[in-house]
Every structure is written in C-alpha cells, then in structure tokens.
Amino acid sequence: MTAVTGETPLQAPIQGNGLLGQPLDSREDPQLLRGEATYVGDIDLPGTAHMAILGSPVAHAKILSIDAKAAEQLPGVLKVATAADFTDVMPLPCIWIPGGVESHFPPHPYGLPGSRPVLSGDTVRHVGDAIAVVVAETPRQAAAALAAISVEYEPLPVVTRADEALAEGAPQLHEAVPGNLNAYWTCGDKDRTDAAIAEAEVTVELDLVNQRTINSPIEPRGAVGDYNAATGEYTLYASTQGPHNHRFLLSALVLGIPFNKLRVVAPTVGGSFGTKGYLYPDMALVLLLSKALGRPVKWVDTRTGLMNSTVQGRDHRQHVTLAGTRDGRITAVRCTSYANLGAYPSTIGPGVATALMGRSISGMYDIDAAFCEVYVAFTNTVPLGAQRGSGRAEAAFLMERLVDRYASEIGMDPAAVRRRNLVPKEKFPYDNGLGWTYDSGDYQLNFDRAIELSGYADMPARKTEARTRGKRLGVGIASYVAICGVGPSTRMSKEGMLGGTWESANIRVHPTGEVTVTVGSASTGQSHGTVFAQVAADELGIDPATVQVYEGDTLKAPYGQGTYGSRSYSMAAPAIALTARKLKAKLVKAGAVFLGVPEDKVVYADGKVFEAGNEENTKTFAELAMAMWYGWGLPPEIEPALDETTHFDPPDFNYPFGTHVAVVEIDELTGETEVVAYTAVDDAGNIGNPKIVLGQIEGSILHGLGQALMEHAEYDPDGQLVSRDLGHYALPRAIDAPFFTLDKTTTPTPHNPLGAKGAGEIATVPPAAAVVNAVVDALSDLGVQHIDMPVTPEKVWRRLRGEAQ
Amino acid sequence: MDLSLNVNGRPEQFSAQPNELLVERLRDGLGLTGTKVGCDTGQCGTCVVRLDGRSVKSCLILTAAAAGSAVTTIEGVTTPGGELTGLQEALREEHGTQCGFCTPGMVMALGELVDNTTDREPPTEPEIREWLTGNLCRCTGYHSVVRGVQRACSAARAQAPVEQGTAQPATAAASGQEG
C-alpha cells in the first residue's frame, strides 16, 4: 500500500496494485473473433449512396478535358463531380515542414504548405491521382460509371527517382517548386564530421537504396460522410488513427466549416502502421457530396486503389560514410540522402523523410562527429508517408550496414566493433549530436543478452555444418535506438510540426463506482480498451472489469493527437495515470470529510480511503463514488463528482532500443534466402501488458523481414506502379516466418510517470539491417560487400555466379 | 436470375446478377459483414467462408456457382456475443488477433484444419503455416495464430473420444518468449 505523496507527478513512483505488467487477455478479441467488430466498410446508414474515385491512369499529364455526360446517364448514377465542383474547397494541408530550413511547397490559402486539392483539375502527377468521383445507388454502379468518364490527357515527362528529379532538365512537378526540391535539410556538425573523415585511419562508404514499400494494412481505407441539414453538422466515419487531428485539419483548413460542427469517428480500424493518420481527398469528398445529395455517402477503397493512393514508405537513396580507427573505434558517420516525397507533400511526409531518419543515424553508438543531409524531392509517385518504424528503420539500416562494412575492412568481429562503441550507461542522458537526447539505457546489457541468446559464439561451427547441406549460413546483427513518445509540443514545433502533440485523458467516475476512461488516442489493433483500462484500474486500485475505455470519437473523447510512432502507451497511458492521481488527491481531501479525520491522516490505497492507523474507518471506491455524486456535506473548496482531465505534454521524447540477430541460410543452387533463426532483445521501458506487446513485436519483426526479402513498390519508367496489387506486391505469409527467440531488458524512461517507452513498432526498425548483414556475411567470401533490398533469390543467384550488383 | 443458398442453416432465396460475387451477396445482400474484403484478387483470405464444409474465398466465386450449396460464414460459427468455439477460444488465449480484419477469414480457414484433427495426429507447425498461406495478416506475424491453432488442435484431440489423453500441452511448441 502506498499513500499519495506530494512528489511531482513525473518523479512519483508507480503506485499501482500490480496490474501493470500483467498479460491480461485482450477484451477486444472475442468481438473480433466472432466477426462482430464494425469496420468502416460495415457501416450501413439508412439511405447511403456509394462513391467511387477516378484515379489518373498516367503518372504525369495535363488534363485537357473531362466529359462526364455518358457517365451521368448510367443507371443508378446520382452525381459525377470534378475539380470544377469544388472550387471553394481548400487544398489538403501539410503540417510537418522540415524544421529550420527553407522549404518549398505548393501553396495553401492559410499560408501553410499545401498538399493537393481534393480533386486534381488541370494536372495529374501520379498514377492514381484523384480527378473525378461518381456517386451512385450501389458500389457496382459507381465503379461502372468511372469507365464512362472520358478524360483527354496531354502527357508530360515522368520522373520517379528523387536523385533524378533534382537533376538539371528533369520534369517539373509544381510551378511553385522549381527544380522539384522540397527541402534541403541537415542535422549534426558538417565541418567536424568532414574533418574527422578526412583525418581518419579508416573510412568505408556504401551506396544504399532503401526501397519504397507499401504498408498494406489488410483493411483498405474507407470513409462515410453524413451531413445533417437540420443541424448543419457533419459526421465523418473513417479508417483513421487520428480522428481529432483529422477533425481539425478538415474543418478549419479544408472545408472551412466550424470545428464544432464536424464529428470524426474512427470505428474499428483494420491496421494502419502509419498510413491512416494522413488526410486524404476522400475524407473531404464524402462530406461534401453528402451535403450536396442530402444522403450519407460511403466510399471503400480497393486494394489497387490503396496501392495507388495511400501513402507509401521508406524510399531513400543514400551515400554513407563511416570513419574509424584501425582498432575499431568509430569516429564519424555521414549520410547524404535523396528522399522521394512523391507527387505531393502528404500530411506529415516531409518530417518523416528528414528528422525521423536523420537525427537517428548514429544509433546506439557514442560517436564524436555525425552529420546528415537530406534532399527531399518531388517525383511522379504516390506521396510518401510514415510506415511502421518510419525514419528510424532507414537510419538503422544505413548505420548497421556501415558498421558491418567497417568491421570487415579492419578485420574485426562485427559484434566486437559494436560492443566497443555502444553509448556507455553512465553517459545518459546522452546527446547524440544530431538533435536527439537519449533518455536512459543500458545498451551493453541489452546487446550482450542478444548476442548470448542468439548463440553467436557457435556460428562458425554452424556455417561449416550448413555447407555440408549446400547452404551458406550467415549471421547479421543490428542494434537501434528509436525515438518514440511524440511528443513534447514545443520541441516538435522546432521540428516544424504545426499542431500540439500532447495527449489527453479524461476519467469520469460514475455514481455506481464504474469508471469511464476517454482518450484522444485511437486504436488500430493495439487493444487500447484492455490496456488503458489496466492503467486506470492499476492506479485507482480497482477491478479493471469496472473500467470502460472510449476513444476514436471526437464527440466522446477529449482532444488528442491519436496513435502513431508507438506513442499511445507512453503518451495516452501516462495521461490516464496522472488523471487517476488527480482523482485520488481529491478523494483524500474528501475522505477527510467523510472519515471525520484531518487530511494528513487519510490514506488512499487499494481502491479505498481509510484513516491511517485505523483501517476500520474506511470508505470503498464505490462508496466514495456515490458520496461524491450526492455531494452532501462537502466544503465549498471541494466540488462534487469525480471527473478529471489531464493534458500530458512530456518534457522530452523517449528512446526504446534493442539488438536483433538474424541467422540466414542461402541455398547455393537457387539463391533463396531463408531466415532460420531470429533473436530479438528489445527495451521499451516498463511494459503495461506483455501479451499485447509480444504480438506487436512479433508482427513488427516480420514486417521488417518483409522489407529485407520481398517487399518493393516498383515503378516502371512511365511511373506505372508495377506492384499494384497483392499478386504483384509480396507480403510475408505464415511460411515466411520462423519462430522468434525474444527477450527484453527494462530501462524505464524518466519522461513519463509509467516509465514507459514506445513499443508497438520498434521491432520493425532493425530486421532489414540484420537480414542484409547476414546475407552479406554468407556471401562475403565471394567479395560481396552489399546487396540491395529486397534480397530476392534472383539477386543472390546472380551474385553466387559472380555477377555484379 | 433466381437463386437459393443455405446460409448458416437458413434457406435464402433471391435474385442476383450473373456476375455477382458470393462475397457481395453475403455482405451487401444478406448483411453478413463478418466476411471481409481486403484485396479483390483472392490473395488476402479475409473473405474465406465454408462452402459445403470446405473453406473457399468468397471473392473468387460467383453467387450463381454456389447456388444450392450450404454456406457458413463467421456469423454461423457463434451466436452474437455467445460462447466462442474451441478455435476462437484458443486464439483468444494466445491473442492471435490484433486489428482483427483478417480474423474472421482465418477462423473460417483454420476451422477446417482444426475440425479434421480429431481423428489424426495434430498438425505440425509447418503444416499449420502451410494451411495459413492463403490468409494474410500484417499485425501479428502469424506466431500467435500458429500457437492458437496448436492449442486448439490439442484441445480438440483431447476431447475426441478415441484419442483421449494423447494430446500434448499446447505450450510445448511455442518457443517465443514475451518481448
């Protein structure tokens, strides 16, 4: 039992009843297993009409004319609309401009960067660029009518690579952005880094392609717009991970309607991994068309539609350099990156391409000089956005590839080189020289655990044995630090984020003693209803079954940023815990009245208040709830009822970390790479529900293996997305995953009262580097120093036969 | 054309276009939205239902081609809010779901595997993974699903009259530790 103390919230220890850290079953699961959860595609409002979107079939062209007359005559068609119908609608905004540098964007009337109009009127800039919509009685009628819209295009030259888009004479995408350069962004100390590299005993360099990938949540996006003419209120149901943020952006910056007349509801969302936090034209279109037609309007994307319009990830071309001593001390790292922003700046795309990647490049290592520069360029491809592990995965890939290259160059074991350069425990908080200050960590402990658990010492013998079976065995290590807990609002403003990034929670205690928690976060499959109830019940010392969690509906929940960057448990959960503490503090004051003793004699513990030294004089949580609802006998300084809110803006980010070890076997005959063992030791600080986190870590690792081995959003020279459906874009299937050997270390962060660091996506950060390191290790005797992702059997087969990359 | 289907034990008669897909009949025509659409090309497996006992992708079959058959959807597996089947319960215990969008299709596909294990040795881990290749999941990495199936098969076998007592503990095959 612990009493409420006078310590400041962030210093106060966890005061819970032991629920946190327990692998409680997900309360969401039974509904999902019975197929009873409502996703946006399952919403069927009375009178709903169905919308389909005409995407451009060409990557870059002027639109000379659009003729919709034939489409309008087709059965069931209610309306065909083009850009001309929405001239008073503002373009979608971009709200993350790379901080501290000159950025170039298409304009938005409010002086913000603009993304794209809700429909493109005179120019299309990528295949799938939305140019017209049809609303019809049925989805089939709407889709059929798209084919009857006649569009005349004047083709323009196409560019799909960031470096080529910046070259002289390249096709130009936006009048407002001559040369296609959205931003040139840097971090770190260029002079110091250049000097360290010039003076170094050893330097190694690599040219890397971090290929474009598609997040591919299994549920495509969808939206339902419902305008109420009687009240003038709009409701948007959408597959979104940030309903509050979408409400703000759509109402104020796109539709120009009052903030308080738009309600955004995220129903059950079928996965996101970053992509459903962006503002897309369809969200505005269903609302506008619902108002125009006086009926709810529903749109559900197809898979090919998703591939051609939902933000894509990664996509950097990099030249990277590492300097060090002959005996394995890394002295500098430098990265020049060309980031492919796609045809338009997505809602936060430019920030993903810069800060999230660049400030992370030195990883777990204590390096004296580091510098990163990013050229962010427009091309005729789908806009770039976040993807599970975004930015941090790209950074870990370059650094961990460099460390292996360096180890090979100086003839040292890659594990030994890493061990030697880890940020030592006593150096925290550690300023990495690139803009991040790591909060806490014991990297040596984590690293040693991963190496030991992987059986690293046995690898030479395993390599020999594998050869007898016609297999080449390789082992690859990758360590990482991942910035999470976005974030401290003022700090994010310096990164160029336009908007508060704090998170909020409200707890309302009902007269019956049951509790409702509402948060601004919005689950996309992370069992928030389970975990957030666990947090509130732990802090209040009550049964979690009496706690109900609501989120994802702007009408019910307080404002908050939503779910992204593994922030929910280290942002929303602390807000819940701090709110519970406010309630407890109030109950201590009120308890003095109810128990008839001075306040300093009142103890709150285990879901009740009692008199210190006389536990007979007590009131349970349920009794207190009822008494506070009646409010009888309370002095004027104590308001009746129990209803508190906290807006949590942390002092800084948090920095989970970890080390992964991949063991691969390459078939000498076919070039096929199989991951035969995978060890991951991650540190996400204090974990609330290990059963939930286990699932997220397993899924994250397979996502990373997917990038290493098979995933590639491939564009042809005309800008056509070759991998436009799941027959052409490979996602890992069950046979592609070995069981993983998992463990954890626990280093709490001082930046929130739960000591929690981000967890959900962090294990996506290192697998690509670990696997490619393992493949290169397996092929090293052939002189292979690097191989580009995805590591397909064909690529390896060619290298086995001595062909160059 | 006028067609009939037996859906979850109920006879259904309706008129359908010749090009209508079974998944459209189920979701849009009959309001059975537990069956999902994830890819339109038969790749993802979110639309799997049982057709005369065999699991099929309902986005790859015309309603007309299924006419006269018995269809079981996820709604036919349990009653609303009702008790979970052994497979569903095992998946719940192993948290073999996250966003849940692929889950109904997995339950329908894996149900056939679990149903057929009462009179044979439980499927091996590679067999389960092979069985799962028609269903995509982006959240879980499949591990918890595989563990759930192992748990369900062991339980099903333990309950089968002939094989009683030969089931092995489900945890024996799960080598993943908590992360």
Side-chain angles (χ1 to χ4, degrees):
Chain A
M1 288 186 289
T2 317
V4 172
T5 69
E7 289 172 287
T8 63
L10 292 185
Q11 292 163 338
I14 292 171
Q15 301 163 12
N17 63 3
L19 267 176
L20 284 187
Q22 298 300 315
L24 300 192
D25 285 340
S26 166
R27 58 169 68 171
E28 283 91 333
D29 276 359
Q31 197 187 15
L32 300 174
L33 287 159
R34 285 192 291 257
E36 291 172 353
T38 301
Y39 299 83
V40 69
D42 306 331
I43 293 172
D44 187 16
L45 303 178
T48 294
H50 297 269
M51 183 177 92
I53 301 176
L54 181 67
S56 170
V58 294
H60 200 191
K62 282 212 168 305
I63 298 174
L64 299 178
S65 66
I66 302 178
D67 182 353
K69 286 191 193 69
E72 285 164 349
Q73 305 307 314
L74 288 175
V77 171
L78 300 165
K79 186 168 181 66
V80 181
T82 63
D85 295 279
F86 302 117
T87 49
D88 55 346
V89 178
M90 290 176 275
L92 310 187
C94 168
I95 56 161
W96 196 357
I97 314 160
V101 299
E102 192 180 336
S103 301
H104 309 276
F105 294 91
H108 181 283
Y110 279 14
L112 298 161
S115 174
R116 49 152 301 155
V118 292
L119 289 174
S120 292
D122 49 13
T123 307
V124 289
R125 297 183 177 87
H126 69 88
V127 171
D129 205 345
I131 47 181
V133 286
V134 174
V135 185
E137 294 289 348
T138 72
R140 278 228 178 193
Q141 288 170 337
L146 293 183
I149 301 173
S150 177
V151 186
E152 198 181 350
Y153 301 97
E154 179 188 312
L156 294 170
V158 170
V159 63
T160 62
R161 274 175 51 164
D163 52 344
E164 292 175 354
L166 298 175
E168 199 154 322
Q172 298 294 296
L173 270 80
H174 298 281
E175 269 180 35
V177 191
N180 298 323
L181 183 67
N182 162 256
Y184 170 70
W185 177 94
T186 67
C187 67
D189 189 329
K190 184 175 193 315
D191 292 343
R192 189 185 173 97
T193 305
D194 287 348
I197 288 169
E199 294 159 11
E201 290 175 18
V202 184
T203 59
V204 290
E205 298 177 42
L206 285 170
D207 287 303
L208 303 175
V209 180
N210 208 295
Q211 86 273 29
R212 183 172 274 234
T213 54
I214 302 178
N215 247 346
S216 309
I218 303 302
E219 180 209 30
R221 294 187 312 98
V224 179
D226 186 18
Y227 176 72
N228 183 334
T231 62
E233 291 170 321
Y234 298 78
T235 302
L236 173 70
Y237 302 86
S239 47
T240 163
Q241 61 194 86
H244 295 275
N245 209 26
H246 281 140
R247 177 193 189 191
F248 166 59
L249 300 176
L250 264 177
S251 63
L253 301 178
V254 180
L255 302 177
I257 61 171
F259 192 85
N260 57 10
K261 287 198 171 177
L262 175 61
R263 173 188 179 192
V264 178
V265 183
T268 308
V269 176
S272 167
F273 318 107
T275 52
K276 291 175 180 170
Y278 291 75
L279 199 57
Y280 295 95
D282 42 84
M283 294 170 162
L285 290 167
V286 292
L287 292 171
L288 292 164
L289 290 163
S290 175
K291 185 176 184 182
L293 293 167
R295 296 171 63 171
V297 171
K298 176 174 173 177
W299 168 81
V300 177
D301 208 355
T302 61
R303 179 58 52 176
T304 296
L306 179 152
M307 296 261 179
N308 275 312
S309 66
T310 296
V311 294
Q312 301 177 349
R314 314 284 192 248
D315 208 343
H316 287 255
R317 285 175 179 269
Q318 301 170 326
H319 182 75
V320 295
T321 309
L322 180 146
T325 62
R326 283 258 155 241
D327 62 354
R329 174 80 204 153
I330 302 169
T331 55
V333 60
R334 184 173 65 198
C335 168
T336 299
S337 194
Y338 295 87
N340 185 349
L341 197 57
Y344 304 99
S346 64
T347 316
I348 61 163
V352 171
T354 53
L356 278 182
M357 194 280 294
R359 298 198 193 282
S360 304
I361 64 166
S362 60
M364 263 198 193
Y365 310 109
D366 182 12
I367 303 176
D368 187 49
F371 175 70
C372 181
E373 59 184 351
V374 186
Y375 296 87
V376 188
F378 289 107
T379 72
N380 298 111
T381 61
V382 172
L384 184 83
Q387 174 157 146
R388 216 179 198 172
S390 57
R392 296 144 292 184
E394 295 93 295
F397 187 78
L398 78 90
M399 188 64 203
E400 295 302 303
R401 285 296 301 118
L402 273 175
V403 173
D404 265 31
R405 179 73 201 86
Y406 171 54
S408 161
E409 187 71 20
I410 59 175
M412 257 178 90
D413 183 286
V417 173
R418 286 183 172 82
R419 186 72 172 72
R420 168 152 194 206
N421 289 283
L422 297 175
V423 175
K425 198 175 161 185
E426 60 276 11
K427 275 201 167 182
F428 290 92
Y430 176 79
D431 177 352
N432 80 348
L434 291 159
W436 299 145
T437 302
Y438 301 161
D439 49 356
S440 61
D442 187 339
Y443 295 174
Q444 290 77 8
L445 180 77
N446 176 278
F447 185 82
D448 291 349
R449 179 71 187 131
I451 295 299
E452 183 200 339
L453 203 58
S454 70
Y456 189 77
D458 303 331
M459 292 303 163
R462 290 182 61 180
K463 285 184 183 190
T464 308
E465 183 278 328
R467 281 297 180 105
T468 66
R469 294 182 281 114
K471 307 274 189 184
R472 289 171 160 268
L473 186 141
V475 55
I477 307 168
S479 296
Y480 71 97
V481 180
I483 177 223
C484 289
V486 173
S489 297
T490 304
R491 176 71 173 79
M492 283 306 290
S493 77
K494 290 175 183 150
E495 293 291 358
M497 175 68 86
L498 304 170
T501 47
W502 42 265
E503 199 57 62
S504 68
N506 171 271
I507 301 181
R508 184 173 296 173
V509 182
H510 305 296
T512 47
E514 287 124 2
V515 171
T516 294
V517 174
T518 50
V519 287
S521 194
S523 173
T524 59
Q526 297 94 346
S527 292
H528 284 180
T530 306
V531 179
F532 291 164
Q534 205 170 342
V535 172
D538 181 85
E539 192 67 37
L540 292 171
I542 59 176
D543 180 354
T546 65
V547 182
Q548 191 66 18
V549 177
Y550 290 98
E551 60 172 15
D553 182 342
T554 59
L555 200 63
K556 291 181 185 169
Y559 191 83
Q561 273 278 301
T563 294
Y564 60 88
S566 300
R567 71 194 292 279
S568 290
Y569 190 67
S570 63
M571 290 292 293
I576 294 167
L578 292 171
T579 307
R581 289 179 191 179
K582 287 182 184 171
L583 288 170
K584 288 197 293 189
K586 185 171 181 179
L587 286 173
V588 167
K589 283 189 192 305
V593 180
F594 299 140
L595 302 177
V597 297
E599 195 179 319
D600 61 3
K601 293 275 184 206
V602 179
V603 177
Y604 185 104
D606 296 340
K608 57 182 187 277
V609 293
F610 55 85
E611 182 185 350
N614 176 19
E615 292 197 29
E616 301 287 300
N617 186 15
T618 185
K619 279 203 178 297
T620 65
F621 188 77
E623 289 167 343
L624 290 164
M626 187 65 85
M628 291 300 285
W629 183 65
Y630 277 102
W632 295 348
L634 289 174
E637 67 272 17
I638 303 178
E639 290 179 30
L642 291 167
D643 186 335
E644 298 286 347
T645 299
T646 300
H647 303 85
F648 179 60
D649 202 0
D652 204 342
F653 304 108
N654 59 69
Y655 295 86
F657 57 91
T659 300
H660 292 198
V661 184
V663 182
V664 303
E665 284 187 2
I666 291 173
D667 189 303
E668 291 265 19
L669 286 177
T670 65
E672 199 171 351
T673 299
E674 185 186 358
V675 179
V676 295
Y678 197 93
T679 304
V681 181
D682 297 291
D683 191 323
N686 292 330
I687 288 172
N689 184 322
K691 182 178 262 192
I692 306 298
V693 171
L694 168 65
Q696 294 173 352
I697 285 184
E698 289 177 329
S700 289
I701 294 172
L702 194 63
H703 199 130
L705 297 184
Q707 186 184 10
L709 295 173
M710 60 187 76
E711 296 187 36
H712 185 195
E714 189 176 355
Y715 289 85
D716 74 9
D718 294 330
Q720 293 290 334
L721 182 62
V722 178
S723 48
R724 63 186 176 277
D725 57 45
L726 293 177
H728 296 83
Y729 185 89
L731 292 181
R733 293 181 181 272
I735 49 167
D736 299 310
F739 266 117
F740 304 140
T741 303
L742 305 178
D743 201 356
K744 66 181 178 198
T745 55
T746 303
T747 317
T749 179
H751 294 159
N752 66 62
L754 298 177
K757 298 187 176 188
E761 71 190 317
I762 59 171
T764 314
V765 173
V771 168
V772 175
N773 280 346
V775 169
V776 172
D777 178 50
L779 302 174
S780 59
D781 62 314
L782 301 172
V784 173
Q785 292 184 348
H786 179 67
I787 190 161
D788 279 332
M789 297 186 291
V791 182
T792 59
E794 186 200 346
K795 274 186 203 165
V796 177
W797 185 84
R798 291 187 183 285
R799 302 300 282 271
L800 286 168
R801 272 142 195 83
E803 293 180 31
Q805 170 135 326
Chain B
M1 55 175 69
D2 292 328
L3 300 171
S4 65
L5 282 175
N6 184 300
V7 182
N8 299 329
R10 275 180 46 175
E12 302 280 358
Q13 296 200 329
F14 47 85
S15 177
Q17 295 293 314
N19 62 352
E20 180 191 279
L21 297 167
L22 179 58
V23 69
E24 292 175 291
R25 174 54 44 187
L26 296 172
R27 283 184 56 85
D28 305 332
L30 301 174
L32 297 169
T33 56
T35 303
K36 305 299 181 194
V37 178
C39 73
D40 319 302
T41 52
Q43 302 287 334
C44 78
T46 60
C47 68
V48 171
V49 298
R50 302 276 286 271
L51 189 67
D52 293 330
R54 300 298 304 273
S55 48
V56 299
K57 289 177 172 167
S58 61
C59 77
L60 291 182
I61 184 165
L62 296 170
T63 307
S69 301
V71 179
T72 307
T73 70
I74 189 73
E75 288 89 350
V77 171
T78 49
T79 55
E83 199 177 328
L84 301 176
T85 65
L87 171 63
Q88 289 169 319
E89 181 60 27
L91 288 169
R92 187 189 69 79
E93 287 174 32
E94 295 292 345
H95 188 44
T97 178
Q98 281 178 37
C99 81
F101 196 77
C102 71
T103 302
M106 283 210 180
V107 169
M108 298 315 292
L110 292 165
E112 190 185 346
L113 177 66
V114 176
D115 288 352
N116 292 332
T117 59
T118 51
D119 57 352
R120 49 157 279 191
E121 287 297 306
T124 61
E125 186 202 319
E127 274 182 276
I128 296 169
R129 289 180 180 278
E130 195 73 39
W131 196 274
L132 260 174
T133 51
N135 295 76
L136 284 170
C137 173
R138 195 59 153 165
C139 296
T140 63
Y142 307 101
H143 297 83
S144 52
V145 179
V146 173
R147 288 195 291 268
V149 175
Q150 288 172 324
R151 182 185 276 265
C153 288
S154 296
R157 206 165 127 78
Q159 282 167 13
V162 188
E163 300 290 334
Q164 216 154 26
T166 56
Q168 50 186 345
T171 48
S175 63
Q177 300 173 24
E178 282 164 8

